[in-house]
């Protein structure tokens, strides 16, 4: 049983986070105590959240019990904690906000294979990339353009390759293109793709201007699959002659649910298990480019917000001694 207070990260205003002390967690029946080793900061969703670019009345997440309430300040947010069960030492993943010690229902924790904690914080993005790949469908040797060489775009490109597609990642930043090339995914600057006509474009850029650009890249009856979440940022789409006459389709892809058309063979539990099995075989350590102490979380969020050059995925590292006598 923990006898020391917990420390948790709270968003208190746009671009402002604080670490606050909470009462010592006391597990209820069916719960266990987890001491956090690492937690990941999503460069997409959490960047929007930290900037205050999410509607305040929106629920934090209807599918994650640890994320109750709305985006009204102050609130705790985050969904990528990797730690150890205090009693057994079992390595686990938890969809939980950034916090050094917490209680969680044992059945909601995901046992992890032999993988370093920092890399394991990418589990949610691997699962999202898997869902994007499932939503892309089959396309043996077909070209697919992925907009954005962030972590989600790169992971999606890698999984699309495994499923038979020929992904090409369009990314304006040269250093990100270099990372993608090092991982074996073809890249190009967006301006080099003028005149491209492909059956599928996947937007993982987070850029509100990207969907409009994507429509120009689609062949007749092509599909734009939107993985980006734009929060409160408006997106303008040219739905005039080309969109109408080419019978183009725009669809969203999102990880909170499994689409009905896949429900005969896929469930959230199967997708989660497949994700865990994918972890050791993906170059996750190469994507964990920046590690910050939990106490320096404000610096970490500033780096993510500013798009620091070379930063792919930011990880918070927790000093295990801070967990006290467990």
């Amino acid at each position: 049983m923990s006898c020391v207070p917990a420390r948790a990260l709270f968003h208190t205003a746009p671009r402002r986070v604080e670490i606050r002390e909470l009462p010592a967690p006391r597990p209820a029946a069916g719960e266990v105590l987890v001491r956090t080793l690492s937690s990941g900061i999503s460069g997409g969703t959490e960047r929007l959240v930290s900037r205050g670019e999410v509607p305040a009345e929106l629920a934090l997440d209807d599918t994650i019990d640890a994320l109750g309430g709305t985006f009204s300040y102050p609130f705790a947010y985050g969904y990528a904690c990797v730690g150890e069960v205090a009693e057994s030492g079992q390595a686990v993943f938890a969809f939980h906000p950034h916090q050094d010690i917490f209680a969680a229902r044992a059945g909601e924790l995901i046992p992890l294979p032999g993988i370093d904690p920092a890399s394991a914080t990418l589990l949610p993005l691997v699962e999202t990339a898997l869902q994007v790949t499932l939503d892309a469908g089959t396309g043996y040797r077909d070209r697919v353009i992925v907009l954005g060489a962030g972590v989600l775009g790169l992971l999606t490109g890698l999984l699309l390759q495994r499923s038979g597609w020929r992904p090409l990642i369009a990314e304006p930043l040269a250093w990100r293109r270099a990372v993608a090339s090092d991982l074996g995914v073809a890249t190009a600057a967006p301006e080099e793709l003028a005149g491209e006509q492909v059956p599928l474009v996947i937007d993982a850029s987070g850029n509100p201007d990207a969907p409009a650009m994507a429509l120009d890249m689609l062949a007749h009856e092509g599909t734009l699959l939107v993985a980006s979440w734009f929060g409160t940022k408006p997106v303008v789409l040219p739905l005039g002659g080309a969109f109408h006459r080419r019978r183009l389709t725009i669809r969203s892809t999102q990880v909170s649910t499994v689409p009905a058309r896949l429900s005969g063979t896929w469930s959230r539990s199967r997708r989660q298990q497949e994700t865990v099995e994918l972890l050791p075989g993906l170059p996750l350590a190469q994507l964990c480019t920046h590690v910050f102490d939990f106490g320096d979380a404000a610096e970490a969020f500033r780096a993510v917000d500013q798009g620091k050059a070379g930063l792919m995925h930011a990880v918070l590292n927790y000093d295990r001694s801070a967990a006290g006598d467990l």
Side-chain angles (χ1 to χ4, degrees):
M1 180 72 68
S2 172
C3 58
V4 297
R7 296 182 303 151
L9 185 143
F10 281 82
H11 294 267
T12 57
R15 292 181 167 88
R16 183 176 175 184
V17 297
E18 297 176 4
I19 294 177
R20 296 183 174 184
E21 199 169 272
L22 299 178
R26 300 189 178 279
E31 292 185 334
V32 296
L33 200 64
V34 177
R35 54 187 180 189
T36 308
L37 301 175
S38 298
S39 64
I41 300 174
S42 140
T45 299
E46 286 196 80
R47 189 180 189 188
L48 281 180
V49 169
S50 72
R51 290 175 168 179
E53 295 178 346
V54 180
E57 69 278 6
L58 187 68
L60 294 179
D61 196 306
D62 293 327
T63 65
I64 300 176
D65 289 343
L67 292 176
T70 66
F71 288 100
S72 297
Y73 298 112
F75 60 87
Y77 191 75
Y79 48 82
C81 279
V82 176
E84 295 176 339
V85 175
E87 184 176 344
S88 66
Q90 167 72 56
V92 292
F93 178 93
F95 290 97
H96 195 282
H98 307 281
Q99 186 169 322
D100 63 351
I101 317 167
F102 58 90
R105 283 188 279 194
E108 294 182 349
L109 299 173
I110 303 173
L112 291 172
I115 181 174
D116 73 277
S119 294
T121 65
L122 282 166
L123 183 149
L125 285 169
V126 174
E127 185 170 10
T128 301
L130 175 56
Q131 184 59 60
V132 175
T133 301
L134 292 172
D135 283 330
T138 56
Y140 180 70
R141 300 299 295 162
D142 284 340
R143 173 65 81 193
V144 53
I145 293 175
V146 179
L147 303 181
V151 175
L152 178 58
L154 285 175
L155 290 172
T156 298
L158 290 169
L159 295 186
L160 287 167
Q161 279 184 335
R162 294 186 178 201
S163 64
W165 291 90
R166 289 190 304 123
L168 175 65
I169 297 183
E171 168 57 53
L173 297 176
W175 70 263
R176 279 189 168 186
R177 294 199 299 272
V179 173
S181 296
D182 288 344
L183 297 181
V185 184
T187 66
E191 60 270 18
E192 296 172 355
L193 300 180
E196 286 285 334
Q197 298 284 283
V198 297
L200 177 67
V201 176
I202 298 172
D203 173 37
S205 68
N207 177 3
D209 296 327
M213 178 176 63
L215 294 181
D216 286 335
M217 299 177 175
L218 289 172
H220 185 75
E221 297 193 10
T223 296
L224 166 59
L225 193 59
V226 181
S228 295
W229 184 37
F230 299 107
T232 57
K233 292 182 289 188
V235 177
V236 178
L237 290 173
L239 303 182
F243 172 81
H244 186 70
R245 291 181 177 178
R246 292 206 307 248
R247 295 179 174 269
L248 303 182
T249 297
I250 302 172
R251 289 196 291 127
S252 67
T253 173
Q254 213 274 336
V255 74
S256 294
T257 58
V258 173
R261 67 181 183 82
L262 296 176
S263 60
T265 53
W266 284 89
S267 63
R268 290 182 67 188
S269 60
R270 180 193 169 186
R271 189 185 64 194
Q272 192 175 91
Q273 183 56 44
E274 296 283 355
T275 298
V276 172
E277 293 179 10
L278 282 169
L279 296 181
L282 291 171
L284 303 183
Q286 293 169 249
L287 299 177
C288 295
T289 53
H290 289 65
V291 178
F292 301 82
D293 288 337
F294 181 48
D296 296 327
E299 179 186 350
F301 273 89
R302 278 194 298 272
V304 171
D305 176 40
Q306 295 166 3
K308 182 177 180 179
L311 191 156
M312 291 299 298
H313 179 59
V315 178
L316 299 179
N317 179 61
Y318 296 70
D319 181 1
R320 291 180 58 178
S321 65
D325 182 9
L326 299 178

